[in-house]
Amino acid sequence: MDFQIRLAQASDIEHLPTIEKAAAQRYGAYLPKLGLTPDKLDDIVSTDFLRQSLYKRHLWVAAGCENHRPVGFVVVDRLLQGYFVIELDVLPDYGRQGIGSALMQQVIATARNQGLAKVTLTTFRHVPWTVPFYQQLGFKIVVPADYTPEIRAIVDHETRHGFSRQVRVVMQWPISPPSQPPTHWLPN
């Protein structure tokens, strides 16, 4: 499938809850191990939050080149030094085609272009594909001793909403600044 990564449009919002629900089905077999019930994976991101993210330009979709309909999306929130990935979802029928990677690369590229220092996310520690997926993109696990106050607040928020610290892991991509040309040239 040919797809393009682009900033979301208002007409995309109605499709995103369907993508989120379909992607959540992949976690079904792991829910007991994660201490979760199926309802915990419903509506992680509200349509109101998606609309706010659209307005802030913090929501990207992967859309088919022919029908322009979203098959995946990523939504972020702004932290002091970077972006925090709230949700990344791809319709299961379109999985393993590089769509999730392309969406994450868009987030990283946008953060770099804005001069941000990092992209951070949380994911399930004990689901076999999550940590390796992000590691192959260059994300590293952040140990609790290195949590910033912002990350600690995010982890606390997730814990209050039923996502135990024991099953979650914080990962981060430190952004290296684009190489700068010399500020002056010395004659030979």
Side-chain angles (χ1 to χ4, degrees):
M1 174 199 166
D2 289 329
F3 62 91
Q4 65 172 349
I5 306 299
R6 60 172 169 74
L7 281 167
Q9 302 167 353
S11 60
D12 296 324
I13 300 292
E14 68 182 279
H15 302 287
L16 304 186
T18 302
I19 295 169
E20 180 184 35
K21 283 181 183 17
Q25 297 305 308
R26 294 185 63 207
Y27 295 96
Y30 301 96
L31 291 180
K33 186 175 185 176
L34 299 174
L36 298 172
T37 56
D39 63 301
K40 284 290 184 193
L41 297 180
D42 287 343
D43 302 320
I44 297 288
V45 288
S46 70
T47 53
D48 285 341
F49 182 78
L50 291 169
R51 283 188 193 98
Q52 291 169 10
S53 299
L54 171 79
Y55 175 74
K56 294 177 184 176
R57 302 174 62 93
H58 289 171
L59 176 61
W60 294 268
V61 297
C65 287
E66 290 180 20
N67 65 10
H68 306 287
R69 191 170 181 173
V71 297
F73 72 96
V74 63
V75 60
V76 301
D77 205 0
R78 182 71 160 75
L79 301 178
L80 288 174
Q81 296 182 352
Y83 281 138
F84 178 73
V85 177
I86 303 289
E87 186 85 7
L88 168 68
D89 288 319
V90 175
L91 285 172
D93 289 347
Y94 295 93
R96 304 197 54 79
Q97 296 182 35
I99 295 171
S101 296
L103 285 162
M104 290 303 297
Q105 293 296 338
Q106 179 64 56
V107 170
I108 292 165
T110 302
R112 179 179 286 121
N113 290 340
Q114 292 177 1
L116 303 178
K118 54 187 96 173
V119 174
T120 306
L121 59 90
T122 58
T123 192
F124 291 114
R125 181 184 306 275
H126 304 296
V127 174
W129 66 85
T130 56
V131 171
F133 169 75
Y134 292 112
Q135 285 175 326
Q136 65 96 21
L137 291 173
F139 281 80
K140 307 277 187 243
I141 292 174
V142 180
V143 297
D146 293 336
Y147 290 179
T148 64
E150 282 183 306
I151 298 304
R152 210 171 295 290
I154 289 167
V155 170
D156 290 345
H157 174 81
E158 288 187 355
T159 302
R160 283 191 304 276
H161 285 83
F163 294 89
S164 161
R165 295 169 194 250
Q166 288 72 31
V167 300
R168 300 291 279 170
V169 63
V170 175
M171 300 185 78
Q172 203 163 66
W173 172 282
I175 296 173
S176 55
S179 55
Q180 299 290 326
T183 54
H184 64 281
W185 295 94
L186 298 175
N188 289 336

